[in-house]
Amino acid sequence: MMSYQYLLLLLLSLGVSAVEVQRPRGVPLSKRQFYEEGKPFTCLDGSRTIPFDRVNDDYCDCEDGSDEPGTAACPNGSFHCTNAGFRPAFIPSSRINDGICDCCDTTDEYNSGAACQNTCRELGSKEREIMKEMAEIAKEGFLLKQQLIQEAKSGLEEKKAKLAEVQVSKKDLEDKLEALRTVKETAEQPEKEAKERHLKAWEAAIRLEKDKAKMAEVFLELDDDADGFVSVADLLTHSELDPDSDGSFTEAEAQGLLGGVDKVDTAAFESVWNNIKEKYVSEETREPVPENDSEQYPEEDIPEEEEDDDEEDEDEDPDDGDYKVSPVRISIRFMKDDHEFLFKTKFICLSFRYIYRLCPFNRVSQKPKYGGSETNLGSWGKWTGPEDNVYSLMKYEHGTGCWQGPNRSTTVKLTCGKETVVLSTSEPSRCEYLMEFTTPAVCQEPQSLYPDAHDHTEL
């Protein structure tokens, strides 16, 4: 059995006139039930009820203009064009019988004498051709989009597999690095211990030499009469040597510091040096002599092994060794970046004066064709399409500021197409740019070219 849809298309193609459902002029079929001839008519806003013979009597009775759908009596009324064979439409009632053909079926000029011709069939035919072309584009674009998605999925799986391999390789390299570090530390441990013993002995020898030099210096300072002896009288001139620090430095106390004798020579002074060196203050400075055992060795005293040690410490840095982990980390970071996969190249649009570049999810720029610097027209911001198609508009914001104006911004309008290309660029408002961008990435699965029969309300 032929479907109703097929019969309808057949009737339209053969030029058979459809049966007109009787209703007042200018009333759509969807509101036919409100206009029953022979019954009082209630204004659609419910404001009043009038006899039916006052509908389309060229006098406006209802505030909403619903009683005059087929005349120009009400300023806020609307007239329904049936437009059989094309799309139905509404026009303001003020255009009824104004001498201009607004409805393709000429029903709006029923009493003006205008020479209108019914062009609905031609318009419907052209529209169906356009819709057919658009459906074909949508179909091909959708297939290309599915292909892109499959390619992206395959690429993602390959990246995941490579990521897993790199992670395994990273673990192996880390294990090898740790093993080599352990071997190196084990091999270097005896040398390190010997070096530490040598260093401690060297430091002890340096401290001993410094202590002897200081002792000789203090002996000369205490030997006031330069007779080669330090006596009790020499010590009494240095009150800071008082053992009990009671403010009274006696001869007995001074003799005690010298080991119980009245004076000592250089050799004997060495045996009592520990009694004196902690409290002695030089006559020249009268400040405590700084003793910094950690003083750096003079350059000529540093053993050659020290320099080698610095070089070996540098070798212990894992980033400078044979097994480096950082390139592996970089690779992992790169492959974990799941940025939008459909746009990876720059798209260029040429105008009379400028070259426009669109880098999706990055930025939009403008550059003069004949030389000059590039201007940033905005960086990727967000999707700004309507709720039912949010991915139809891209917003690029915070571009280079205009002279005494706002920062430049660009709206990119995406439409379905078989190619990915920038069609045009314009500046509808100052510093606000609009790009027309076609791509299969936004193509949706095409619907049937002809709606179901139950969707038809008019012929």
Side-chain angles (χ1 to χ4, degrees), residues 157-173:
E157 291 301 322
E158 291 178 3
K159 285 187 176 181
K160 286 182 177 179
K162 190 172 181 180
L163 175 60
E165 292 178 3
V166 172
Q167 287 177 331
V168 171
S169 176
K170 173 177 177 286
K171 182 66 169 59
D172 291 342
L173 290 176

Side-chain angles (χ1 to χ4, degrees), residues 126-138:
K126 290 180 180 178
E127 183 176 68
R128 283 189 290 276
E129 288 297 324
I130 294 173
M131 294 295 293
K132 185 176 180 180
E133 290 180 10
M134 292 178 63
E136 289 298 325
I137 292 175

Side-chain angles (χ1 to χ4, degrees), residues 18-189:
V19 177
E20 178 72 21
V21 179
Q22 293 300 317
R23 58 191 187 276
R25 191 190 306 274
V27 175
L29 188 60
S30 59
K31 295 182 180 179
R32 171 67 181 83
Q33 69 271 23
F34 301 115
Y35 296 84
E36 295 188 28
E37 190 172 359
K39 293 183 179 180
F41 173 74
T42 300
C43 301
L44 297 185
D45 63 359
S47 59
R48 62 185 299 190
T49 300
I50 60 176
F52 191 80
D53 58 6
R54 292 168 65 175
V55 174
N56 280 342
D57 65 347
D58 206 21
Y59 183 84
C60 192
D61 297 291
C62 298
E63 294 181 2
D64 62 357
S66 57
D67 65 313
E68 298 297 321
T71 74
C74 297
N76 58 342
S78 62
F79 179 83
H80 180 262
C81 304
T82 302
N83 291 345
F86 189 50
R87 289 181 284 104
F90 285 92
I91 63 171
S93 59
S94 59
R95 298 182 182 179
I96 300 174
N97 292 322
D98 63 350
I100 301 175
C101 304
D102 298 292
C103 300
C104 67
D105 61 1
T106 73
T107 53
D108 61 315
E109 299 299 321
Y110 61 88
N111 197 29
S112 68
C116 297
Q117 293 183 351
N118 190 325
T119 59
C120 290
R121 190 179 303 279
E122 291 79 2
L123 291 174
S125 178
K126 290 180 180 178
E127 183 176 68
R128 283 189 290 276
E129 288 297 324
I130 294 173
M131 294 295 293
K132 185 176 180 180
E133 290 180 10
M134 292 178 63
E136 289 298 325
I137 292 175
K139 181 179 178 181
E140 293 184 33
F142 182 74
L143 292 176
L144 289 172
K145 177 182 178 180
Q146 295 300 107
Q147 182 179 346
L148 287 173
I149 292 175
Q150 290 301 321
E151 291 176 358
K153 286 182 178 179
S154 299
L156 183 60
E157 291 301 322
E158 291 178 3
K159 285 187 176 181
K160 286 182 177 179
K162 190 172 181 180
L163 175 60
E165 292 178 3
V166 172
Q167 287 177 331
V168 171
S169 176
K170 173 177 177 286
K171 182 66 169 59
D172 291 342
L173 290 176
E174 288 177 340
D175 292 342
K176 288 181 180 179
L177 179 63
E178 186 62 30
L180 290 174
R181 183 182 289 113
T182 302
V183 171
K184 180 183 177 185
E185 290 176 353
T186 302
E188 291 177 346
Q189 187 63 28

Side-chain angles (χ1 to χ4, degrees), residues 269-309:
F269 186 74
E270 185 175 351
S271 63
V272 298
W273 168 236
N274 289 333
N275 300 334
I276 297 174
K277 66 179 181 180
E278 297 297 333
K279 288 190 174 185
Y280 178 78
V281 178
S282 174
E283 293 181 355
E284 295 180 358
T285 61
R286 285 296 174 179
E287 295 179 359
V289 178
E291 291 191 12
N292 186 3
D293 291 342
S294 62
E295 180 181 340
Q296 296 295 322
Y297 307 134
E299 187 173 345
E300 61 273 10
D301 292 337
I302 299 178
E304 294 181 0
E305 289 82 2
E306 288 293 308
E307 297 179 0
D308 296 335
D309 185 61

Side-chain angles (χ1 to χ4, degrees), residues 187-414:
E188 291 177 346
Q189 187 63 28
E191 181 182 355
K192 185 177 179 181
E193 292 176 354
K195 193 178 295 184
E196 289 178 354
R197 290 194 298 270
H198 175 75
L199 180 61
K200 290 179 179 178
W202 186 270
E203 289 176 346
I206 292 295
R207 285 196 297 270
L208 181 59
E209 291 299 324
K210 286 185 177 182
D211 192 60
K212 288 182 177 181
K214 183 180 178 182
M215 181 183 68
E217 180 182 348
V218 172
F219 184 87
L220 294 175
E221 288 184 2
L222 289 174
D223 186 10
D224 292 333
D225 53 6
D227 60 353
F229 293 92
V230 173
S231 63
V232 170
D234 294 331
L235 293 184
L236 290 176
T237 61
H238 288 266
S239 59
E240 74 274 6
L241 296 177
D242 184 5
D244 53 12
S245 301
D246 59 355
S248 175
F249 189 22
T250 65
E251 291 185 2
E253 290 175 333
Q255 193 174 33
L257 291 176
L258 293 178
V261 297
D262 293 333
K263 59 182 180 179
V264 293
D265 58 9
T266 303
F269 186 74
E270 185 175 351
S271 63
V272 298
W273 168 236
N274 289 333
N275 300 334
I276 297 174
K277 66 179 181 180
E278 297 297 333
K279 288 190 174 185
Y280 178 78
V281 178
S282 174
E283 293 181 355
E284 295 180 358
T285 61
R286 285 296 174 179
E287 295 179 359
V289 178
E291 291 191 12
N292 186 3
D293 291 342
S294 62
E295 180 181 340
Q296 296 295 322
Y297 307 134
E299 187 173 345
E300 61 273 10
D301 292 337
I302 299 178
E304 294 181 0
E305 289 82 2
E306 288 293 308
E307 297 179 0
D308 296 335
D309 185 61
D310 293 339
E311 295 176 0
E312 291 170 1
D313 290 341
E314 292 177 0
D315 292 339
E316 291 179 4
D317 188 352
D319 288 340
D320 292 334
D322 294 334
Y323 298 94
K324 295 185 179 180
V325 181
S326 54
V328 178
R329 292 173 183 160
I330 292 173
S331 299
I332 292 174
R333 284 198 298 269
F334 174 77
M335 288 187 288
K336 283 184 177 178
D337 185 8
D338 57 351
H339 207 55
E340 282 81 354
F341 57 84
L342 292 177
F343 307 111
K344 296 182 180 179
T345 55
K346 293 181 180 179
F347 301 96
I348 299 176
C349 177
L350 302 179
S351 69
F352 179 72
R353 295 178 55 191
Y354 297 102
I355 300 173
Y356 294 93
R357 286 185 173 86
L358 167 63
C359 300
F361 304 104
N362 188 359
R363 65 196 293 264
V364 180
S365 62
Q366 165 190 280
K367 187 175 183 180
K369 291 179 67 174
Y370 306 105
S373 60
E374 189 175 76
T375 301
N376 183 7
L377 301 186
S379 300
W380 166 242
K382 57 188 175 182
W383 294 101
T384 57
E387 291 185 5
D388 59 340
N389 193 13
V390 68
Y391 299 113
S392 61
L393 293 176
M394 305 173 79
K395 187 69 173 180
Y396 292 79
E397 307 168 304
H398 310 301
T400 304
C402 287
W403 172 252
Q404 295 184 343
N407 290 342
R408 289 174 171 84
S409 63
T410 302
T411 298
V412 179
K413 182 179 179 182
L414 289 83

